[in-house]
Amino acid sequence: MSGAGAVELTSTSFLVTLIVVTVLAMLAALLLWNRIPGPGWVRWPARLVMIGLCQLTAICVVATWINGSYGLYSSWDDLLGTDAGQNDSAMTGPPLGRAKFTLGGDGTRSTYFRGSHSKLAGQVIVWTPPEYDAPGAEQTRFPVLMLLHGYPGSPRSWIDLGNMPGALEQLVQLGAAHPFILVIPEIYPGGVNTDCTNTPRRKVADWLAEDVPDLVAKNFRTLPQPAGWGVMGISTGAFCAAKLPLQYPKAFRAGAALDPDPLTGDPDVLADPVLRERNSPMWLVRHAKKTDDVGLFLATSSQDKDSPPQQLADFTKAAEGTGVRVKTLVRPQGGHNFQTWIGMYPDALGWLSTEVSPPAAGAP
């Protein structure tokens, strides 16, 4: 289902196709109800089949709409679990020097490569703003914003469900945000979620903070790290966006976490209590160096039980005296979904534009 000709699970065309099939099933049932030939023991089972078909297609329409609204599954691989069986032996791909970007119809460029630091391989999607290719901008370098998806999820979640890069373009036109180069990597290459943590077998933090930046800096006109680099995430990706600038202050100046998972870590992801604690944003901010130039933006809603406002207050208190700049936002309404996160973009992207350097002329 994930082949080149497959219809995307979250695409509008798939939802429209299901609606059309549902309407056709209902019309067929109405037209054929009294026209089925044969004795009663043939007609009634046929009618039950038609009723069942109508119900099945209607359920598929509702399920697809709900999935699209809440971002539960962003692809067929997510739904079917076909990428969860990958393991370390599947970490093959071209090295940094041979990574090739393919231009997509939506203006994004994507590649699959293996990192030299982590030895992991995964997909990375890159989008450059219109200003990047504008006349006279040949020597202009741009800030980078890395977008981290949730679990389950994929880099395409930001595009298919998260209104990116459209939302960013609108804010840039309003003068409310910088034009960023958007970088959207896999946050669990190989199908194993570690909350963006280096474990003995999977160096996911190195993949995100070293390998992906190396790839982007080599192929695009980017500002130097860390002043020109930020990260923004949702849910599990938000947990990562809160911790990576603390762990890698030489890579990222700022992080925006929208509805982050519990900031003390998830025992279901990292069973080792020491490893979990030392890789949690709460522990990291308490032990941050005062010399680290890091800013963090944390947002949630009063209704989000998966990311309660209290943890933002606890995190802010823990950051006192460390030098880490913390700004929080608690919206009165909203669930753990893209509809809520999109509503947070203006605050998050506006804040990131004050923390991360704007485009600037530099050596080509």
Side-chain angles (χ1 to χ4, degrees), residues 224-248:
Q225 293 175 284
W229 289 65
V231 59
M232 183 169 79
I234 54 163
S235 192
T236 298
F239 176 95
C240 302
K243 91 184 193 78
L244 288 175
L246 296 171
Q247 284 185 312
Y248 296 85

Side-chain angles (χ1 to χ4, degrees), residues 10 83 92 103 120 129 192-193 203 222 226 250 291 321 353:
T10 58
D83 60 354
T92 59
L103 182 63
L120 298 174
V192 179
N193 178 29
K203 309 296 183 183
T222 66
K250 294 183 179 180
T291 56
S353 296

Side-chain angles (χ1 to χ4, degrees), residues 40-333:
W41 63 271
V42 172
R43 294 195 303 272
W44 283 109
R47 289 168 177 166
L48 289 175
V49 170
M50 289 191 294
I51 293 173
L53 183 61
C54 291
Q55 292 179 331
L56 178 61
T57 54
I59 290 172
C60 288
V61 168
V62 173
T64 301
W65 177 80
I66 291 174
N67 182 67
S69 299
Y70 292 94
L72 302 177
Y73 299 96
S74 62
S75 67
W76 291 108
D77 286 336
D78 283 340
L79 177 64
L80 303 175
T82 54
D83 60 354
Q86 297 182 14
N87 50 40
D88 293 328
S89 65
M91 292 289 95
T92 59
L96 174 66
R98 297 208 306 268
K100 302 296 183 182
F101 281 90
T102 301
L103 182 63
D106 55 5
T108 62
R109 295 174 173 86
S110 62
T111 189
Y112 186 92
F113 87 109
R114 185 180 70 255
S116 59
H117 298 280
S118 67
K119 311 304 180 186
L120 298 174
Q123 182 189 29
V124 178
I125 299 174
V126 177
W127 175 84
T128 56
E131 294 82 0
Y132 187 89
D133 296 311
E138 293 81 5
Q139 294 189 11
T140 300
R141 294 187 171 273
F142 286 78
V144 176
L145 179 59
M146 187 179 295
L147 301 179
L148 305 180
H149 59 82
Y151 179 84
S154 74
R156 289 291 312 183
S157 301
W158 284 98
I159 300 167
D160 296 334
L161 304 172
N163 193 28
M164 281 292 186
L168 173 60
E169 286 188 281
Q170 292 175 2
L171 291 171
V172 172
Q173 292 171 3
L174 293 172
H178 293 333
F180 287 95
I181 296 173
L182 297 183
V183 177
I184 318 176
E186 292 188 52
I187 70 166
Y188 47 95
V192 179
N193 178 29
T194 70
D195 276 349
C196 304
T197 296
N198 283 346
T199 68
R201 296 188 61 185
R202 313 187 77 82
K203 309 296 183 183
V204 179
D206 288 350
W207 158 259
L208 293 170
E210 299 187 57
D211 291 331
V212 174
D214 285 350
L215 170 79
V216 177
K218 178 180 176 62
N219 289 277
F220 299 90
R221 299 193 312 273
T222 66
L223 288 174
Q225 293 175 284
W229 289 65
V231 59
M232 183 169 79
I234 54 163
S235 192
T236 298
F239 176 95
C240 302
K243 91 184 193 78
L244 288 175
L246 296 171
Q247 284 185 312
Y248 296 85
K250 294 183 179 180
F252 304 108
R253 168 63 54 80
L258 312 183
D259 285 357
D261 287 350
L263 296 172
T264 53
D266 186 349
D268 292 333
V269 176
L270 298 176
D272 184 333
V274 175
L275 181 67
R276 181 173 65 252
E277 180 188 43
R278 298 299 174 89
N279 284 276
S280 70
M282 190 67 75
W283 187 91
L284 289 166
V285 77
R286 289 193 179 109
H287 295 80
K289 297 178 181 178
K290 292 186 178 182
T291 56
D292 292 340
D293 186 10
V294 172
L296 295 173
F297 175 93
L298 288 81
T300 189
S301 72
S302 298
Q303 297 177 326
D304 192 344
K305 296 180 180 179
D306 294 321
S307 186
Q310 183 60 45
Q311 74 165 347
L312 272 60
D314 294 340
F315 186 87
T316 302
K317 184 176 181 180
E320 292 178 357
T322 65
V324 176
R325 301 178 298 281
V326 178
K327 181 178 178 60
T328 61
L329 170 69
V330 179
R331 293 170 62 92
Q333 295 179 324

Side-chain angles (χ1 to χ4, degrees), residues 332-350:
Q333 295 179 324
H336 205 75
N337 54 61
F338 262 111
Q339 182 177 352
T340 299
W341 301 326
I342 290 172
M344 296 173 176
Y345 287 174
D347 292 284
L349 293 170

